[in-house]
Amino acid sequence: MSLPTPPDRPSDEPRWSPATLAVTVGRPPHEPDQPLNSPVTMASTYVAGGDLEYGRYANPTWTAFEEALGALEGGRCLAFASGLATAATILDLVGNGATVVAPRHAYNGTVMQLAELEARGRLTARLVDVTDLDAVVKACDDAALVWLESPTNPALEVVDLEAVIEAAHRAGAYVVVDNTFATPLLQRPLELGADLVVHSATKFIAGHSDVLMGAVVTRSDELFTVLKQRRDLVGNAPGPFEAWLALRGLRTLHVRLERAQANAAELARRLGDHPAIEEVRYPGFGAIISVVVAQGALAADLLTRSTRLWVHATSLGGVESTFERRRRWKTEPVTIPDGLVRLSVGIEDVDDLWADLAGALEALPRPSTGG
Ligand SMILES: *Cc1c(COP(=O)(O)O)cnc(C)c1O
């Protein structure tokens, strides 16, 4: 796995690589009797006179998590209760009547938030095919905010981030990149000029299918302050235990992703040769694969119920391999093939994963060959 270069840091600080940042940032100082790990601070209020004051404004366990993710993305981070709580907070800041550009295949919950805001007359949502760069650039004109996600979920389309960010900024729009799929180890949108990076920390960052959390990272002090004020006022911050779990997960992100990505690349190759699979979508990095089952939705449903290792479940980015047919959700756009199954590849043994999957694929009804 090739890791990008670390963020710009003051010249007197060591330029640590992402693996080192993931393990070390956000720990208590190396002093006698300090714990190595940041403890869970369960507190609704603090003794007056300091900087923390109240549990809705500050929590040392949030701070530890935020320092670590901020270092990896190269900006200042704020933790939220979920990925969608983060998205809602950002969309809340868009002015009345403004236009927001977003991928038509962005995360379903993000598209639903935009649709709901549009239905209430709050803003105009302009959904675009992110693989059509000219159309996206044109759509940026007069937009207030350009929301990007790359790769998209579950279509796995890859956006030319640099080109779109430049076009959006030329048009005077802010740019948000949902970096949940790539993680800061594979893609660092702030370095490409994005204003905000969003994460569903529920997924790869926390990585163990046991916590809901979100985060935003920015290099702009102004945006950081506005978002922090919003979180203070609304109270959509995570619980301290969630932040602690997410940070515990983040410590091993590079090791988990390296294995999951190697597994995914191998499985994508093998799936591509399988007659029961019509199409494999794998962008060449990350641990998510989408496949279109040749025999359609019923066969895809059968597949997701016929394995012992692969778990039929929504969500992604955990150590355990999961999969689901996305169109089982009524809100998934009809431009996603009915028989598309999204696989979140975990860190199990790749041959065990393949044997389980191949066995279930063998058991599917065969395409009729006419003879
Ligand atoms: C899951 C997900 C979200 C939403 O995050 P929650 O933590 O479930 O609220 C947003 N974007 C992407 C790409 C996701 O996969």
Side-chain angles (χ1 to χ4, degrees):
M1 186 166 75
S2 72
L3 299 173
T5 46
D8 297 335
R9 318 189 114 244
S11 54
D12 56 328
E13 279 189 50
R15 293 177 67 89
W16 282 327
S17 74
T20 309
L21 294 175
V23 173
T24 56
V25 178
R27 292 198 186 265
H30 295 184
E31 284 163 13
D33 286 341
Q34 284 283 339
L36 261 74
N37 288 308
S38 198
V40 193
T41 303
M42 303 299 294
S44 65
T45 188
Y46 306 93
V47 177
D51 296 327
L52 304 183
E53 293 283 12
Y54 185 55
R56 188 162 16 85
Y57 306 149
N59 179 285
T61 318
W62 300 348
T63 306
F65 169 84
E66 289 165 348
E67 284 176 358
L69 184 56
L72 285 171
E73 287 287 8
R76 295 171 75 194
C77 174
L78 286 165
F80 284 85
S82 69
L84 281 189
T86 318
T89 306
I90 293 166
L91 293 177
D92 213 14
L93 298 173
V94 175
N96 283 332
T99 295
V100 176
V101 173
R104 64 178 174 152
H105 293 155
Y107 176 71
N108 199 225
T110 308
V111 174
M112 282 165 70
Q113 282 195 11
L114 286 167
E116 194 253 358
L117 289 166
E118 186 169 59
R120 283 197 280 130
R122 260 280 286 127
L123 49 76
T124 301
R126 194 177 282 157
L127 299 183
V128 293
D129 173 359
V130 290
T131 61
D132 184 347
L133 184 60
D134 289 343
V136 178
V137 167
K138 208 173 281 164
C140 290
D141 211 27
D142 79 6
L145 181 75
V146 177
W147 188 284
L148 297 172
E149 184 180 308
S150 186
T152 56
N153 177 5
L156 295 178
E157 299 143 333
V158 173
V159 184
D160 184 342
L161 287 179
E162 242 172 318
V164 179
I165 289 167
E166 204 198 299
H169 282 167
R170 256 200 322 269
Y174 285 106
V175 180
V176 180
V177 177
D178 183 333
N179 206 27
T180 299
F181 270 39
T183 84
L185 300 185
L186 301 175
Q187 175 169 279
R188 302 157 69 87
L190 297 181
E191 287 177 0
L192 304 176
D195 300 291
L196 298 169
V197 168
V198 163
H199 278 281
S200 170
T202 311
K203 314 292 170 54
F204 289 100
I205 302 279
H208 294 72
S209 308
D210 53 11
V211 59
L212 269 175
M213 222 178 94
V216 64
V217 191
T218 182
R219 285 183 171 178
S220 153
D221 289 338
E222 191 190 343
L223 288 174
F224 179 89
T225 303
V226 170
L227 287 161
K228 167 85 169 68
Q229 283 169 347
R230 198 74 207 145
R231 188 182 69 177
D232 287 356
L233 189 65
V234 175
N236 48 4
F241 190 58
E242 277 71 10
W244 186 85
L245 277 173
L247 178 57
R248 190 186 178 96
L250 182 60
R251 296 300 187 208
T252 56
L253 175 63
H254 50 298
V255 185
R256 288 184 285 110
L257 191 61
E258 196 172 323
R259 167 63 82 90
Q261 176 170 257
N263 283 355
E266 179 59 24
L267 291 177
R269 194 182 62 72
R270 296 187 193 182
L271 285 161
D273 291 335
H274 202 287
I277 300 298
E278 185 181 300
E279 185 191 348
V280 177
R281 298 188 185 187
Y282 181 62
F285 62 93
I288 309 295
I289 306 169
S290 287
V291 296
V292 180
V293 176
Q295 287 292 80
L298 282 175
D301 280 336
L302 195 60
L303 171 68
T304 57
R305 293 190 200 108
S306 309
T307 49
R308 294 177 61 188
L309 203 49
W310 291 82
V311 188
H312 183 211
T314 196
S315 195
L316 53 100
V319 291
E320 53 290 277
S321 294
T322 60
F323 62 169
E324 69 169 339
R325 185 174 72 84
R326 279 303 299 177
R327 286 280 300 280
R328 76 190 178 93
W329 299 93
K330 298 276 175 283
T331 49
E332 192 74 11
V334 294
T335 41
I336 298 298
D338 216 16
L340 182 142
V341 174
R342 186 188 64 200
L343 295 88
S344 173
V345 181
I347 64 170
E348 303 93 334
D349 179 86
V350 70
D351 290 318
D352 289 342
L353 287 175
W354 175 247
D356 191 39
L357 203 55
L361 285 170
E362 291 311 322
L364 292 182
R366 296 273 156 170
S368 85
T369 53

